[in-house]
Amino acid sequence: MKGSRGGLATIGIIVTQLLAMITPVAWIGLLIVAFSLYHTSQKSKGKREFSGWLMTVGILGIILGGCADPSKDVDKETTAQAEKEADQQSKAEEEKKAAEEKKAKEEEETEVKEKAEAEKEQQELADTFGLEEVLVSRVVDGDTVELKDGRKVRFIGVNTPESTTRTEEYGKEASNYTTEKLEGKTVWLQKDVSETNRYNRSLRLIWLEIPKDDMDEEEIRTKMFNADLVLNGYAEPSTYNPDVKYSEYFVKFAREARENGTGLWAYGENGTTKGDLDLKEEKKTTTAATPKSGSSATTEEPAADQEQEYYQNCTELRKSIRMESHPIILLMHGSMTGIRTTGRVRDKREYGPFLL
């Protein structure tokens, strides 16, 4: 009997320990079992004990406590762990978001700073080269535009075929090209020497972008619209003193376009309008004068038919005439206005009557 009780007690202790690992309620049963074992030992000494039923109660308590649904405690632990992990994840996401916002703010500040520095640099270059930022509101023709402030600007150093009061070959194409490139766009104007022409139009070079060096050929080719017109065969170089800063470049570009038959140069080596590359017609005749007795025969060039020259406009014609002291005869035949001087004939077409 004593052996069976000892074995029962041992089994109870083991079960109690196992159940105690599952739920705290089993710890109560464990205490009861321990108390019953104590009383069992006291009974062996002859003392009155009630350890049998007490141990039974303790074991039942352990079993009931252990068999009681432990999932609640487990669920609480699982829930607590899940909440802890969720809090950690939320905290990590907040930290990540804060880091990203900080980085984005720093990048934005850097971008704004770089943009401000670039604008400052561009403004300094514009001031250095005397560039004026303007908005083109309307294109008059290939080489003339109207600005938002009402000013009309004539491009320096180039001449596109006419497309307004009269039409020349490739004039409409040049006007359409300028419209496509400039109308509604912001550009930069650069003055050479002259402020306006006789029609009160501002004389300017047109830059599509601010150059770093306004005399660098590559930048002239890629950023100046005057040069762009010549390179693409929409204009011929047309130089008038004193605005000659880029005349050599324009002539060089025009020769390239002419060699390639680009644009208006496809119509012939003189293009379709007046320009610096037009061939001047020179006509010289020789007549045999009757030799006087005792003298040898000589060849003489008549003064009236010695040479024929063409001029770009009336202003150029007047300048040339003022330098001569010969009598002047004004001839008018339709659209031809000629000025005859002793020894030289000068012709000017399509300008009509003018005063000297």
Side-chain angles (χ1 to χ4, degrees):
M1 188 68 177
K2 292 181 179 180
S4 62
R5 288 183 178 179
L8 185 60
T10 301
I11 294 173
I13 292 172
I14 294 172
V15 172
T16 301
Q17 289 177 340
L18 292 173
L19 294 174
M21 295 173 64
I22 300 174
T23 173
V25 177
W27 285 102
I28 299 174
L30 180 61
L31 292 175
I32 295 173
V33 171
F35 187 69
S36 67
L37 291 174
Y38 170 75
H39 282 278
T40 300
S41 64
Q42 293 296 319
K43 183 177 181 181
S44 63
K45 297 179 182 180
K47 296 181 180 180
R48 182 182 178 184
E49 298 295 340
F50 46 91
S51 58
W53 65 266
L54 187 62
M55 182 176 289
T56 301
V57 172
I59 291 173
L60 289 173
I62 291 171
I63 293 172
L64 292 174
C67 293
D69 187 9
S71 62
K72 294 182 179 180
D73 294 332
V74 175
D75 289 344
K76 288 181 180 179
E77 291 180 1
T78 304
T79 302
Q81 183 66 24
E83 289 177 352
K84 183 178 179 180
E85 291 177 356
D87 290 341
Q88 291 177 344
Q89 184 177 358
S90 177
K91 185 177 180 181
E93 289 178 354
E94 289 178 358
E95 290 177 351
K96 182 180 178 181
K97 183 178 180 181
E100 290 176 350
E101 290 177 351
K102 182 180 179 181
K103 183 179 179 181
K105 185 177 180 181
E106 290 176 349
E107 290 177 350
E108 183 179 357
E109 290 176 350
T110 301
E111 184 178 350
V112 170
K113 183 178 179 181
E114 290 177 350
K115 184 178 180 180
E117 290 176 352
E119 289 177 351
K120 181 180 179 182
E121 181 182 358
Q122 290 286 290
Q123 188 58 52
E124 289 175 351
L125 287 171
D127 293 340
T128 300
F129 303 135
L131 303 183
E132 177 189 2
E133 185 177 358
V134 298
L135 178 65
V136 177
S137 63
R138 184 176 71 90
V139 171
V140 178
D141 62 11
D143 52 31
T144 306
V145 296
E146 184 175 331
L147 306 181
K148 184 179 180 180
D149 60 14
R151 284 182 295 166
K152 287 186 178 180
V153 177
R154 174 65 164 82
F155 304 164
I156 291 176
V158 299
N159 184 38
T160 62
E162 295 296 329
S163 63
T164 53
T165 56
R166 61 191 178 90
T167 302
E168 293 177 317
E169 290 286 354
Y170 223 65
K172 291 295 183 182
E173 288 84 347
S175 180
N176 292 338
Y177 183 74
T178 301
T179 299
E180 177 187 348
K181 291 289 186 176
L182 299 188
E183 192 165 88
K185 307 289 180 61
T186 296
V187 297
W188 286 263
L189 304 183
Q190 184 181 35
K191 176 183 172 182
D192 192 346
V193 177
S194 303
E195 182 65 37
T196 59
N197 62 10
R198 59 178 177 162
Y199 301 109
N200 202 34
R201 294 177 177 176
S202 300
L203 297 173
R204 296 292 186 272
L205 298 149
I206 312 296
W207 290 91
L208 302 175
E209 299 178 34
I210 297 176
K212 293 183 178 179
D213 180 357
D214 69 338
M215 293 305 294
D216 178 76
E217 182 174 335
E218 185 61 27
E219 295 216 73
I220 295 170
R221 286 176 177 268
T222 57
K223 297 181 180 180
M224 183 192 287
F225 188 66
N226 305 53
D228 182 274
L229 286 172
V230 178
L231 285 165
N232 288 288
Y234 291 104
E236 296 190 28
S238 183
T239 305
Y240 292 93
N241 288 319
D243 303 303
V244 298
K245 183 175 181 178
Y246 296 98
S247 59
E248 292 183 3
Y249 286 111
F250 295 157
V251 170
K252 177 181 179 180
F253 300 158
R255 285 175 178 155
E256 292 178 11
R258 184 169 67 177
E259 289 174 3
N260 296 325
T262 304
L264 57 79
W265 298 109
Y267 293 87
E269 61 180 357
N270 284 333
T272 63
T273 189
K274 296 296 182 182
D276 294 346
L277 299 189
D278 292 350
L279 298 177
K280 294 183 178 180
E281 297 181 6
E282 295 185 358
K283 182 169 59 176
K284 295 185 179 180
T285 59
T286 57
T287 59
T290 303
K292 296 180 180 179
S293 57
S295 64
S296 60
T298 61
T299 301
E300 204 173 65
E301 295 180 356
D305 297 324
Q306 189 174 28
E307 184 179 1
Q308 190 176 45
E309 296 180 358
Y310 292 91
Y311 290 83
Q312 300 289 341
N313 55 31
C314 299
T315 302
E316 183 180 348
L317 187 58
R318 292 191 190 101
K319 288 180 180 178
S320 177
I321 291 172
R322 291 192 186 101
M323 298 175 64
E324 304 227 4
S325 59
H326 302 290
I328 298 171
I329 302 174
L330 183 63
L331 304 176
M332 301 183 65
H333 301 284
S335 61
M336 171 77 75
T337 299
I339 293 181
R340 185 179 300 276
T341 63
T342 303
R344 183 171 298 177
V345 175
R346 295 180 175 84
D347 293 332
K348 178 59 193 168
R349 290 180 171 83
E350 304 297 345
Y351 277 89
F354 60 90
L355 299 176
L356 300 177

